[in-house]
Amino acid sequence: MFRFRAALILVPVIAGVFFGCRHVSEPPAAISNPSARNEVAVTGVELTPDPAVLRGRIENGLRYAILPARNPQQRVSVCLLVQAGSFHERDDEPSYAHFVEHMAFRDTRDFPGDSAIQTLQKLGVAFGAHVNATTGQFETDYRFNHLPTDDPTALPTGLKILRSMADGVLFHKDAVKHERGVILSESRAAGGEIAGAWQSQLEFLASEENPRWPELTVLYGKDHLVQRGWLSGLWGWNTANAAKLRAFYDRWYRPERMILTIVGDVTPAAAQQLVRDTFSSLRARAVAGSPAPIENLPVQAKPAGPPVFVARQKFEPSVRVALSAAQAEAGPDTPARRHRSRALGLALGMLDRRLTRLSERADTPFTDSDTLVSHLIPHTALHFIRADAPPRLWSKALLALDTELRRACELGFSHVEFQQILEISKAHVATVAASASDRSSSALARSLAFAVARGVVVTSVPEDFRSSESLLAVITAEECRSALREAFRDGAVSVSLSGTFSGRPPTASQVEQLLRENRRAAPVAYVAPAPARPFPFTDFGLPGQIVKRERDDALGAELVQFANGVRLNLKRTSFSRHRVHSVVRFGDGSLSCPVEKPGLDLLAFAWIFGGLKDLPREEERAALGGGLENYSLALGATDFRWDAAGDASNLRLRLQHCAAYFVRPEFSEDVLPRAREFAGVQLASSESTASGVAQKALSQRIFGEVRQVPTIADVRQRTLEEFKTWFVPQLAGPVEITLVGDFDPETAIDAVARTFGALPPRTASAGAPGSRAVTFPPKPFSDSVPFTGKKGSAVVALVWPAVGFESLRERLGGEILAKILWDRVRLKLRAEMGATYSPATQFSWDDNFSPAIAYLSCTLESAPGHRNRVATAARLMAETLAREGATEEEFERARRPLLREAETGWRNNAWWLEVLADAQAHTPRAVEKTGALDDLKRITLAETNALARRIFVKERQSQLIVLPK
């Protein structure tokens, strides 16, 4: 499913509400010289730590922080952060920090072999999804998320495993040898071959965006900081041995460099005692390491001309253009520092809105843009203004960014712009404060650890809300301009270009010449948009009449139908105060796209890009103000989905905004190029990566012409008239709206009646589930497919059709089997052979066809020379599973995480939104989903083994291998 995140409101929040976007894990940027009047308001005031956070330090130096939280209920997340990363490696230790992280999961004193992972699985915590780690340049963190608190052994066991990782990693010679192969496989994934498809499984990728290596290189050159990336130096892995890895481990894994956080449904005092009982005996094992002080990292002085770095990355679909600057930070987290940070955040927000406005023009030189303040490096703020440009337009994109930055620095911001960004920021602060309870314990545990490590004062939600409101009441537009000028050194920025170029990449001197010529002319004043007016499209006709309203006890929801055919599903919950999640389902999705015109469905985002008739995008954005959060358009096989979430008070405006796109869309030729470029980005991995090519080839072999993956060339051939002929009828088709959250049902029904209920009668659907015929299972195949990409990576895919898997219980058994096979493949091919990094197994079931299509797949990345060995090993494991069955322990380790996940879903708005999204169009399907928890409780090992014999039939197994040319 392709997903587009609309960028109507993009406000960088660098300081402010602790439970907001970045503040918890990124210390506020330091900007000097605010006005004296406002400095007086905050100077000398100290921040008050949140009394709900229990913080302490054990005698050995280990710090901890514990925070009660109830999202999700009956779950707790823990994070152990070690202040050691790739920056702490010596020249003869490249990637040792990451290697040590791998070994911590492989074999420890108290949990030898795979027993740590298996123990967590028995508790219902899945490896990868809830058990993971990240190696950064300055920290390494280990995370166990959503441990069940209704099991009194779970938290003590999780802490015991972390303690064993802290000082009990065993560096056995054979384990090091095999893990080296795993890391080599991981490096192939990081190189772009499978990262696009399996990003969620790549443990070294941070969950928050960080600068790309070209953006760091232009700031720090060949400094140790850049050269020691997360996965640097193949030779380092080849020369690493047990003794060298242990030396690095003992030097840096010391209690005074560790921070432990616990966030969840716990009693702080009891959790504190567990921490002390588990970690008090932890001791340092070697002389502490002494790297170059982080404070001494070079922050480039203001250069005479812009330093430039150009990197050709041929697997990228576009060119990333970035203006960047580094700024030293010093001192503690204070109200004054947050005030200065807020000024920069507002300035970047106004600049971002200017760039967004520019990107919506017909002649825009870039498809996407953003502004970022990164605190990747302690005591330093890294500032970036970035855009992704088509290869042929990189120079125009660069000049556009440079012009807007200079214009803002030299001429400042208009009163209208400033007032608009203030209103948006105030609304954002209020929304974040109101939804603080929504943030999951897993995100908070990691963020809290980084807050402690970086010296951020963790303040309470009410205190953050109050202080943010106070800051916004006194801040000025001139402060914002001053902050921006200092952050970007008055426009004397560094420039990095990375990606695919049309022809030869430019030289640094050519880029500098372009900028010199651009800067000869003084910037002209920015023409600000008109002051915001109320959203104009609020009257859609007479409110719709309700023809049916009933309570479905099985779903715990109200089901409403209007006279025009619009359906409404409502479920009131108390999981998040005043928050409402909504989805508008409409049309017939990508399967209704004409087979002879592939790629039309991927142009669906032209609907959003085009905006509304008689309402310029800038006015639309201003009218929405801070009242709406980002929304998304999702393209599914059988429908389109407009998803949104926000405060209940803004529900009517959200519905008016969405309904306006049904009756007043602006389809313009101007947006077609942008839609094509966007579609090209979505398709890039299917043509340039081994995993993307594998997924496309499998889809074609399983579904034939019914569900084709178009090429970029296909999309470029499609015209606007073709798109409108296909898409406009989708807007007149069935509409089903689902609302889940804390809202008044009568108010919500009235809002729908006055928007979608007032639309013309809906036309019939093109096809219900099961109406599309396809021949499956296909004749078994064994194919080899070439792709143009990096030569070090191949993908092996094995497929077994699951014939007759009609009941939910059978399909859940298929999911359990997929997890059992994954566990066996992981142990054999990753742990024992070191032949792959990220095996993936999946049970797929699709009832949009007749008969329903079901199959189990196993996908493996490997070196090309190992492909047959890997395929044979995985195939034999499946055959053994069918012949001998799984053990009771294997079955429980696979079933328990699914069971815990289902339990969590019942207390989650997003889960219920998915269950109810088509509750009236396909009621049996919705009711069936609610039975997953009971079926998981009742399903047996004998049932599952019987299903294994039905799936893993040797004669029906297919194989696909993707190889580089």
Side-chain angles (χ1 to χ4, degrees), residues 165-186:
M165 290 176 165
D167 71 344
V169 176
L170 303 176
F171 295 91
H172 293 309
K173 179 189 288 187
D174 288 343
V176 170
K177 175 184 176 181
H178 288 132
E179 201 63 28
R180 182 181 293 116
V182 174
I183 298 177
L184 286 169
S185 295
E186 184 180 11

Side-chain angles (χ1 to χ4, degrees), residues 106 172 309 468 542 845:
R106 188 177 187 99
H172 293 309
F309 182 74
S468 294
L542 293 175
W845 185 79

Side-chain angles (χ1 to χ4, degrees), residues 430-445:
T431 297
V432 171
S435 60
S437 61
D438 286 358
R439 192 165 184 185
S440 70
S441 62
S442 56
L444 282 172

Side-chain angles (χ1 to χ4, degrees), residues 66 180 287 390 516 523 691 769 837 936:
I66 303 167
R180 182 181 293 116
V287 177
R516 280 195 296 269
S691 64
Y837 166 69
L936 281 169

Side-chain angles (χ1 to χ4, degrees), residues 552-563:
D552 189 313
D553 292 331
L555 297 173
E558 278 197 88
L559 309 182
V560 180
Q561 290 185 17
F562 293 92

